[in-house]
Amino acid sequence: MIMWTVQPMAVYQQLQRDGVFHCDPTQTWAMDDEYFQPAYQWMANQMTRRIGPAPANVTVPIWAWYRRDWQHKRPDFRYYHDYPDQVCLEVEVPEEQVLLSDCDEWNVIINDGVLMKANTDEEFDVACARYQQMSSKQQTAFKLRSWKRVFEIDPVHDDTGFWQGKDVQGCFWELHLSQVRHVLRRRPGHRMEQLF
């Protein structure tokens, strides 16, 4: 499965040196924020259930783009300003080692929201009203069950503005240098470079 991940140049250098990269939880901004930790831990648990456990001493997955704006193609790297010196790695990871999810719905999860299932605005309003009548324990159970819809990635665009599968991300536990197909580098004051 071909995907693209934007990382600091140091990650590519580590890959070249060690042959493998695992995400360092101390370098991951989301793990520093207690608000986001439950969602990221939930995703890690889903990965363990669906694709298998992480290698020893690995707790945080690597994230990559699988689909952007309905298309399976490299994201436009000119608009990524995540790191001062960064690379966009095109990688090929075996499908059975990747868990795909809908990016927009993931944003609902990291904000501790509920993924309401509704085909119309009226159905959405009814679902929200039902949810508000639940006890807090019932709401938590309902919310956690709803999160599993993040893995529904078949493209759907309906009249309510719901765009399932427009942007799809992939999570996997480790990246090997042998899985890197192409590397683009972007840094201030330089043209974009193809390193590999």
Side-chain angles (χ1 to χ4, degrees), residues 3 5 13-14 32-33 49 61 63 70 79-80 86 111 117 121 124 134 150 155 171 175-176 190 193:
M3 296 178 293
T5 183
Q13 292 166 332
Q14 179 185 339
D32 288 340
D33 191 321
R49 285 189 194 116
W63 295 73
W70 309 106
Y79 299 105
Y80 283 80
Q86 61 186 3
N111 287 295
K117 186 153 181 85
D121 290 337
F124 182 80
M134 296 177 187
V150 74
C171 295
L175 179 62
H176 295 270
H190 294 83
E193 311 167 64

Side-chain angles (χ1 to χ4, degrees), residues 9-163:
M9 178 63 180
V11 166
Y12 183 53
Q13 292 166 332
Q14 179 185 339
L15 266 169
Q16 291 178 304
R17 183 185 68 235
D18 302 338
V20 66
F21 169 70
H22 299 113
C23 204
D24 180 351
T26 65
Q27 300 296 314
T28 306
W29 67 269
M31 296 308 289
D32 288 340
D33 191 321
E34 289 182 26
Y35 181 77
F36 295 121
Q37 284 180 2
Y40 280 88
Q41 186 58 57
W42 179 85
M43 182 62 85
N45 292 341
Q46 292 297 311
M47 290 176 66
T48 297
R49 285 189 194 116
R50 293 167 186 257
I51 63 173
N57 301 318
V58 175
T59 58
V60 179
I62 300 166
W63 295 73
W65 289 110
Y66 175 73
R67 187 184 307 144
R68 293 287 289 159
D69 295 322
W70 309 106
Q71 297 179 32
H72 181 247
K73 66 177 187 176
R74 179 178 55 82
D76 191 339
F77 190 42
R78 293 174 299 174
Y79 299 105
Y80 283 80
H81 304 282
D82 298 334
Y83 312 100
D85 189 359
Q86 61 186 3
V87 289
C88 180
L89 305 173
E90 181 178 292
V91 300
E92 187 166 10
V93 180
E95 187 173 339
E96 64 274 8
Q97 296 176 14
V98 179
L99 182 58
L100 296 176
S101 59
D102 183 280
C103 186
D104 289 334
E105 291 192 348
W106 170 246
N107 286 324
V108 173
I109 292 172
I110 62 173
N111 287 295
D112 200 33
V114 178
L115 295 173
M116 293 293 185
K117 186 153 181 85
N119 295 320
T120 65
D121 290 337
E122 292 77 22
E123 286 179 15
F124 182 80
D125 291 342
V126 169
C128 287
R130 273 195 217 123
Y131 180 76
Q132 292 303 322
Q133 293 175 357
M134 296 177 187
S135 69
S136 63
K137 185 176 179 179
Q138 290 171 321
Q139 285 180 341
T140 298
F142 181 87
K143 175 181 67 177
L144 291 175
R145 280 192 310 273
S146 82
W147 284 3
K148 292 181 182 173
R149 281 204 300 283
V150 74
F151 304 116
E152 297 173 8
I153 60 166
D154 292 334
V156 174
H157 181 203
D158 66 25
D159 294 338
T160 65
F162 175 67
W163 289 12

